[in-house]
């Protein structure tokens, strides 16, 4: 753990070794170490460079469509008879999710480093689509690794990536989902390390990725802060976001970490049970371990083999979690909980009917938690939900659930 | 000096090159491992690397990925791998054995318990590809207390300041990765491998063994002009895969290792 626990501010991490307390680090094969050192240097420079920052802001504004609104959800709040609920509208970004914030940042960095071959992994396809989109905009080659099971679940996003000029490579190994897509992207990276930039889609992987992705995504929390201050004259009481790898949550939480009065709630995928293979709730059921270049909580068996995971939402279907979340979980700064597939489906329908907003199944997990909390809270309590993406990509899954009479 | 270093140096003093053979513990089934290790030792391997299977072997190509998967399906665990090693040791006390595996199953087992039980089972060292020197300095000190060596990997893109550290922290030998990429037998290696090995020889004081991509006797013979020995893994696994029957697998592996040994002894 870090040296003097009292004096370290949450927002000052990671340390020089890329650690958030015991978590994080650079636990990768030697082949990748020079690439990570190069990336670390390039990012440290870019982070201090006003020109890079203004370019980043330019594309967020002119291309992604930021800032997006903080929408007051009056009918949802009224129906729940409790706290006042706001929705941070990441679903309104270009490509329909928060993923593009990070991709713009990383591909600007790739361009600055002279890397013209971009690889990415994707689960639900949202990060793949965002990467294919920005790669097209910047004229870069783009290869996206995607588990064959996810390809089946998210056909529309596969088509979008192909239309955008990306090559989608099906991954047939392991559970054929996000975890395996990351394995395969890392294998590509070790093979083409000289000319390739690996654009990771979440706050996971070896240092400096968890920090870098958090920094690019923290525009979510900064805007939310300002907007909430303007609307309410104060900070929100509770902020809720879904957590798979945890990038929308980390981006939302980070600017609030020092505000102790703001309760932060991370919602994991509870699936359909608490047994192995029935959920993807890493912080609720996992134990510390090492995967994908980081020390973090993992869903694993007694022999340290990575467990199969399940979630109705492909974007949360991951047996690990960002190392900064692991740290915040241990310190108790963020409360992590989980909601089931069924609750997420019901929340999808409820938000659609009360607010005219169809959430992504991932984001619906955050909505479901808000639906549990709001009725117990007074009317002057303000809840912000990070609505990380829109639900169009999930219509096939939701239609299937409706046909089964689940909603 | 450790048993591994002693064995390597003795062979090199005889004018021989080192042949290190990798197999995955429990592949294709646990009963096969001890006889395979015996065949490998008898056919002339100087070092055996016993792979402890992991569900997500991200430095490995398709051959070793598939072998790991099969071994896990057959119920192989860290404890099970150590047990196989202990049984091999009863018959073969001499040949050094290195355990090669990813960090997570080892961490889950508990590092200090692992070192103690590995030592009791007759292991001589560790290769953990996802723990670079900065993440393993403390572990290798604890391993060294039990005379377990710790071998680090170095690759063609490793800069001089890292080679210096890897050379300093490695014991037993330094594992040179022939090309940037994952494990897997390759038909040929690029010219740059030779330049890399020549450069490495100037920058290291430890023995250098080359692995990743070494597919057969002729390639091994040419490589050992520029290094102290070779490590062969995927090509051995392919021999086992190609066999229809366990006895056939043992016969094929014995034949393959003997051919490698003969090629290295020609130089």
């Amino acid at each position: 753990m870090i040296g003097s626990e009292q004096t370290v501010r949450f927002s000052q991490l990671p340390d020089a070794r890329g650690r958030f307390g015991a978590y994080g680090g650079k636990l990768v094969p030697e082949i990748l170490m020079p690439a990570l050192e190069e990336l670390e240097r390039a990012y440290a420079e870019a982070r201090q460079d006003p020109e890079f920052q203004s370019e980043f802001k330019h594309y967020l504004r002119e291309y992604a469509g930021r800032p997006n609104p903080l929408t007051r959800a009056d009918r949802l709040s009224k129906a729940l008879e409790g706290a006042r609920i706001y929705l941070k509208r990441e679903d309104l970004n270009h490509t329909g999710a928060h993923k593009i914030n990070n991709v713009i940042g990383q591909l600007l960095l790739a361009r600055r480093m002279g890397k013209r071959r971009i690889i990415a992994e994707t689960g639900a396809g949202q990060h793949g689509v965002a990467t294919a989109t920005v790669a097209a905009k910047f004229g870069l080659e783009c290869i996206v690794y995607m588990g064959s099971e996810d390809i089946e679940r998210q056909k529309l996003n596969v088509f979008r990536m192909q239309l955008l000029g990306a090559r989608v490579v099906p991954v047939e190994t392991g559970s054929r989902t996000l975890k395996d897509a990351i394995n395969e992207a890392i294998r590509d990276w070790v093979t083409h390390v000289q000319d390739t930039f690996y654009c990771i889609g979440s706050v996971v992987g070896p240092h400096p990725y968890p920090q870098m992705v958090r920094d690019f995504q923290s525009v979510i929390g900064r805007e939310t802060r300002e907007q909430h201050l303007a609307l309410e004259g104060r900070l929100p009481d509770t902020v809720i976001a879904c957590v798979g790898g945890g990038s929308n949550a980390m981006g939302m939480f980070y600017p609030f970490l020092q505000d102790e009065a703001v309760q932060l709630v991370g919602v994991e995928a509870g699936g359909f049970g608490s047994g192995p293979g029935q959920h993807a709730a890493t912080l609720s059921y996992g134990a510390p371990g090492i995967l994908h270049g980081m020390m973090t909580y993992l869903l694993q068996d007694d022999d340290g083999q990575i467990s199969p995971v399940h979630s109705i939402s492909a974007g949360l279907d991951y047996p690990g979690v960002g190392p900064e979340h692991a740290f915040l979980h241990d310190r108790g700064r963020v409360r992590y909980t989980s909601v089931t597939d069924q609750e997420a489906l019901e929340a999808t329908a409820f938000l659609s009917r009360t607010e005219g907003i169809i959430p992504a199944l991932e984001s619906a997990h955050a909505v479901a938690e808000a639906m549990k909390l709001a009725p117990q809270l007074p009317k002057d309590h303000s809840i912000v939900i990070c609505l990380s993406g829109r639900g169009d990509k999930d219509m096939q899954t939701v239609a299937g659930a409706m046909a089964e009479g689940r909603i | 000096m450790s048993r591994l270093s002693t064995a390597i140096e003795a062979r090199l003093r005889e004018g021989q090159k080192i042949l290190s053979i990798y197999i995955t513990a429990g592949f294709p089934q646990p009963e096969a491992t001890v006889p395979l290790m015996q065949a490998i030792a008898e056919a002339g391997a100087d070092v055996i690397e016993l792979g402890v299977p992991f569900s997500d072997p991200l430095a490995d190509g398709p051959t070793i990925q598939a072998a790991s998967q099969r071994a896990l399906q057959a119920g192989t665990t860290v404890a099970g791998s150590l047990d196989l090693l202990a049984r091999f040791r009863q018959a073969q006390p001499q040949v050094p054995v290195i355990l090669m595996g990813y960090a997570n199953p080892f961490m889950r087992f508990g590092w200090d318990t692992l070192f103690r039980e590995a030592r009791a089972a007759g292991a001589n060292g560790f290769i953990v590809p996802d723990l670079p020197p900065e993440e393993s300095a403390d572990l290798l000190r604890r391993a060294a207390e039990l005379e377990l060596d710790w071998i680090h990997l170095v690759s063609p893109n490793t800069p001089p300041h890292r080679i210096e550290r890897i050379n300093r922290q490695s014991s037993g030998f330094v594992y040179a990765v022939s090309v940037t990429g994952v494990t897997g037998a390759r038909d040929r290696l690029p010219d740059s491998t030779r330049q890399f090995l020549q450069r490495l020889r100037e920058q290291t004081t430890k023995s250098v063994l080359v692995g990743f991509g070494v597919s057969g006797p002729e390639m091994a013979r040419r490589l050992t002009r520029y290094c102290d020995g070779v490590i062969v893994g995927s090509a051995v696994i392919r021999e086992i895969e190609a066999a229809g029957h366990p006895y056939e697998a043992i016969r094929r592996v014995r034949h393959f290792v003997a051919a490698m040994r003969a090629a290295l002894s020609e130089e």
Side-chain angles (χ1 to χ4, degrees), chain B residues 138-264:
Chain B
D138 173 55
L139 288 177
L140 65 91
R141 264 193 301 275
R142 278 143 70 187
E145 285 169 19
L146 293 170
E147 283 178 52
L148 293 163
D149 282 317
W150 198 284
I151 293 103
H152 283 294
L153 277 66
V154 57
S155 94
N157 61 339
T158 308
H161 73 274
R162 295 192 61 81
I163 293 179
E164 198 272 325
R165 179 169 189 175
I166 287 163
N167 179 57
R168 189 160 28 90
Q169 282 197 16
S170 287
S171 53
F173 61 89
V174 170
Y175 188 139
V177 174
S178 66
V179 287
T180 56
V182 293
T183 60
R186 289 169 175 82
D187 292 337
R188 52 194 301 196
L189 293 175
D191 289 342
S192 55
T193 301
R194 175 168 51 86
Q195 289 142 19
F196 162 55
L197 294 176
Q198 284 170 332
R199 190 162 54 85
L200 200 55
R201 181 156 267 183
E202 288 163 20
Q203 291 169 27
T204 49
T205 54
K206 309 276 163 71
S207 306
V208 174
L209 270 58
V210 181
F212 283 37
V214 182
S215 56
E218 180 53 27
M219 186 193 280
R221 197 178 56 78
R222 269 178 294 150
L223 274 172
T224 49
R225 289 179 199 157
Y226 313 104
C227 63
D228 300 307
V230 291
I231 301 161
V232 192
S234 296
V236 180
I237 300 292
R238 290 210 302 213
E239 292 292 325
I240 300 171
E241 272 175 353
H245 191 274
Y247 295 116
E248 165 79 356
I250 290 162
R251 193 189 62 77
R252 287 184 78 116
V253 167
R254 188 190 301 273
H255 183 77
F256 180 84
V257 174
M260 295 292 295
R261 176 79 269 161
L264 293 189

Side-chain angles (χ1 to χ4, degrees), chain A residues 10-11 250 253-259 264 324 328 333-334:
Chain A
F10 291 124
S11 56
M250 213 51 246
F253 295 163
Y254 185 67
F256 291 105
L257 288 179
Q258 301 305 137
D259 303 304
L264 304 173
E324 193 164 9
L328 294 169
R333 176 62 190 96
V334 179

Side-chain angles (χ1 to χ4, degrees), chain A residues 8-14 20 210 214-215 218 221-222 225 235-236 239 246 249-266 323-329 331-336:
Chain A
V8 170
R9 289 163 61 90
F10 291 124
S11 56
Q12 286 172 336
L13 296 173
F20 303 88
R214 174 201 74 196
D215 289 350
S218 62
R222 282 198 306 274
R225 242 184 111 90
L235 295 177
V239 176
M250 213 51 246
M252 176 58 105
F253 295 163
Y254 185 67
F256 291 105
L257 288 179
Q258 301 305 137
D259 303 304
E260 282 173 30
V262 179
Q263 293 173 38
L264 304 173
V265 183
E324 193 164 9
H325 285 295
F327 172 76
L328 294 169
H329 167 75
R331 291 304 176 88
R333 176 62 190 96
V334 179
R335 180 173 70 85
Y336 294 89

Side-chain angles (χ1 to χ4, degrees), chain A residues 61-82:
Chain A
R61 190 176 62 240
E62 304 297 328
Y63 192 64
R66 301 201 77 93
N68 55 46
L70 184 67
T71 304
R72 203 165 83 175
D74 285 331
R75 288 207 350 113
L76 176 67
S77 309
K78 193 159 177 250
L80 296 171
E81 296 176 33

Side-chain angles (χ1 to χ4, degrees), chain A residues 160-391:
Chain A
R160 289 167 82 195
M161 287 184 265
Q162 288 166 340
L163 187 62
L164 290 159
R167 190 155 67 86
V168 180
V169 181
V171 176
E172 302 286 355
T173 52
S175 57
R176 304 193 303 271
T177 58
L178 179 57
K179 166 194 78 131
D180 310 283
I182 296 178
N183 289 343
E184 220 41 50
I186 292 175
R187 289 181 187 121
D188 177 310
W189 197 24
V190 302
T191 310
H192 304 100
V193 64
Q194 306 289 2
D195 66 341
T196 296
F197 187 97
Y198 180 16
C199 181
I200 295 188
S202 192
V203 286
V204 300
H207 180 65
Y209 283 104
Q211 175 191 17
M212 189 167 71
V213 177
R214 174 201 74 196
D215 289 350
F216 291 143
Q217 290 293 6
S218 62
V219 64
I220 302 172
R222 282 198 306 274
E223 278 180 16
T224 301
R225 242 184 111 90
E226 275 175 34
Q227 289 166 326
H228 198 278
L229 279 169
L231 290 164
E232 293 275 342
R234 63 184 181 90
L235 295 177
D237 299 298
T238 302
V239 176
I240 307 175
C242 66
V243 178
S247 70
N248 88 86
M250 213 51 246
M252 176 58 105
F253 295 163
Y254 185 67
F256 291 105
L257 288 179
Q258 301 305 137
D259 303 304
E260 282 173 30
V262 179
Q263 293 173 38
L264 304 173
V265 183
V267 187
E268 298 191 305
F272 59 91
S274 60
Q278 298 181 337
H279 61 83
T282 308
L283 289 167
S284 307
Y285 301 107
I290 295 167
L291 181 71
H292 295 152
M294 59 181 164
M295 174 98 73
T296 189
Y297 277 77
L298 300 175
L299 291 168
Q300 53 182 316
D301 68 15
D302 291 341
D303 193 47
Q305 309 298 337
I306 307 305
S307 300
V309 288
H310 162 84
S311 170
I312 192 162
S313 63
L316 302 182
D317 211 350
Y318 182 62
V321 65
E324 193 164 9
H325 285 295
F327 172 76
L328 294 169
H329 167 75
D330 282 10
R331 291 304 176 88
R333 176 62 190 96
V334 179
R335 180 173 70 85
Y336 294 89
T337 182
S338 64
V339 307
T340 63
D341 287 349
Q342 182 61 30
E343 289 167 329
L345 280 167
E346 285 165 12
T348 300
F350 201 73
L351 187 68
S352 299
R353 286 163 201 172
T354 53
E355 293 293 334
I357 296 169
I358 301 175
L361 283 171
E362 290 79 9
S363 323
H365 284 71
V367 176
E369 177 63 18
M371 286 167 61
K372 290 185 194 175
L373 292 179
Q376 308 162 27
L377 294 164
K379 288 199 168 20
D380 60 352
H381 188 105
S382 171
I383 294 179
V384 171
I385 301 171
C386 188
L387 204 75
S388 56
R390 68 175 183 228

